[in-house]
Amino acid sequence: MPKVLHYLNQFFAGIGGEEKAGQEVIFLPQAVGIGNAIEKSLQEHGVEYATLVCGDNYFHEQEELALRTMRAAIDRFQPDFFLAGPAFNAGRYGIASAKACSWVRDNWRIPAITGMHENNPGTQEIGRHVFVLQTGASTASMAEAAKRFTALLELLVAQDPAGAEAFRAEHCLPIPRRFTVKTGKPDYVRAIELMLAKIHGAAYESEIPLIATARHTIPNLTVNLKDATVALVTEGGLVPKGNPDRLESSRGSRYFKYSLAGLDDLKCGEFAAMHTGYDTSMVDEDPDRIVPLDAMRELEKNQRFKKLHERYFVTTGTGAMPSKMAELGAGIAADLAQSGVNAVILTAT
Amino acid sequence: MVLITCLANVAAQVGVGRIVGGNKFHYPVGQPELPAEEERRWRIALMEKALATLESKADKPTEV
């Protein structure tokens, strides 16, 4: 008979509100609150259900003591599954749920499931392998959250790891963080093992979660090129001499635009690249090698397109977070659209 | 938008629509081994290719 242990805070256990936030850890040999709904849905599996209650303040002020009491309860009850939450957007309970689940998963190697809203600060505390069900921000999504806990538990009880992973992909929050994992092997051995597993089609898991890239539709030119204003954009870090705006040489957090008015060619010594991701000496020698102004002026003169936008845009792409680059890209695109630019040529190193 | 890069496979993986192969990653639109005027002519030809790519219709990542 599978055993489920569910950690609830004082509020979701129905003990009380803020005045009971100092409640110390208690073990109850039955389902409480949302646990009742989950237990009922799992009836046919004959689940044995127990609850740990801990006040939000108590967990944070007496974390060591709280975990010690929880450890004793876990050792005695021997759960097969550990649940915490849903915490929705409740910060204290979200963090406590994340910490408790990560701690249980690491120490007992049993599946640990929590649930919260994507903005809950608890998402920053999630350990590897913990399931974090996505919920709404408030208790209005309680019924839906209970269904998701139940559905995932059913897959785990049925020992359907592929089903559970598919469920994770669809309903769990991605945790795009890197974790320190001790493998007992040098990194190059680990890297080669991962590569061989991939080549041979064997199962493997990277310590570095992949960040999903947002797909978007590819825009086509809406005007004839002869009537188009074209802009040059680069992530290659090219800035006027002296780097007047202090563009970072890696992990760019801002973008800048610099005038090309009156210039037909970018000259050595007048512009230079701020970028630790590539050897900039060839670009510094002739900046047209990253911002091809000389060629574009020639094609502009030949009326291949109407006009080169009077400024080029620049940031530094190396080492940057994709989310930050998406933000900068959106800013550049909005600026270009407002300036009536029809097309962009982006050079990347 | 057209992207000029020598890492076309990476660009295609992240969904860039129009990709033109650049020369080297530390000078995608440069060819320093050529004399200056020849390099300029080479670059004009590359940018002409980029402009022609801008005019093309694309519904999936396409490398030219």
Side-chain angles (χ1 to χ4, degrees), chain A residues 133-209:
Chain A
L133 297 165
Q134 185 169 24
T135 73
S138 76
T139 51
S141 60
M142 181 69 89
E144 181 60 27
K147 270 188 215 159
R148 288 191 176 177
F149 270 94
T150 308
L152 179 54
L153 272 170
E154 277 179 335
L155 291 167
L156 294 171
V157 169
Q159 298 189 332
D160 177 2
E165 280 314 308
F167 187 91
R168 185 201 289 274
E170 192 174 351
H171 298 298
C172 288
L173 292 173
I175 305 296
R177 287 195 293 120
R178 299 174 184 189
F179 298 96
T180 301
V181 181
K182 289 184 180 160
T183 61
K185 291 172 189 166
D187 48 3
Y188 62 89
V189 174
R190 172 76 181 137
I192 289 170
E193 281 178 358
L194 281 175
M195 190 174 71
L196 287 175
K198 184 172 186 173
I199 290 168
H200 292 130
Y204 65 93
E205 186 183 16
S206 168
E207 284 75 24
I208 301 173

Side-chain angles (χ1 to χ4, degrees), chain B:
Chain B
M1 195 270 281
V2 60
L3 176 72
I4 305 181
T5 175
C6 72
L7 300 170
N9 55 340
V10 177
Q13 271 169 28
V14 298
V16 175
R18 294 181 186 80
I19 306 156
V20 166
N23 188 15
K24 295 284 163 58
F25 78 88
H26 43 316
Y27 40 85
V29 291
Q31 185 108 267
E33 57 272 28
L34 295 179
E37 184 47 33
E38 272 182 55
E39 183 183 4
R40 198 179 78 92
R41 281 205 300 273
W42 171 84
R43 186 159 42 244
I44 290 169
L46 183 66
M47 299 318 291
E48 167 50 40
K49 190 172 164 185
L51 290 171
T53 307
L54 275 175
E55 288 179 302
S56 69
K57 302 275 180 239
D59 55 5
K60 62 177 190 319
T62 310
E63 187 194 347
V64 179

Side-chain angles (χ1 to χ4, degrees), chain A residues 60-80:
Chain A
H60 291 285
E61 288 162 8
Q62 305 282 349
E63 187 174 323
E64 207 176 306
L65 212 56
L67 293 182
R68 197 184 306 163
T69 316
M70 287 187 180
R71 177 184 290 278
I74 292 166
D75 284 342
R76 205 170 50 243
F77 183 65
Q78 302 263 315
D80 301 294

Side-chain angles (χ1 to χ4, degrees), chain A residues 279-317:
Chain A
D279 174 359
T280 56
S281 58
M282 292 295 138
V283 161
D284 291 345
E285 194 180 274
D286 182 358
D288 293 280
R289 290 171 180 153
I290 189 72
V291 176
L293 180 66
D294 58 354
M296 290 301 282
R297 284 290 187 228
E298 186 68 25
L299 292 159
E300 184 184 35
K301 215 187 308 169
N302 296 345
Q303 296 175 4
R304 186 69 176 86
F305 56 96
K306 187 176 159 202
K307 184 171 165 287
L308 184 68
H309 186 51
E310 61 201 7
R311 291 185 173 85
Y312 78 93
F313 285 67
V314 59
T315 187
T316 312

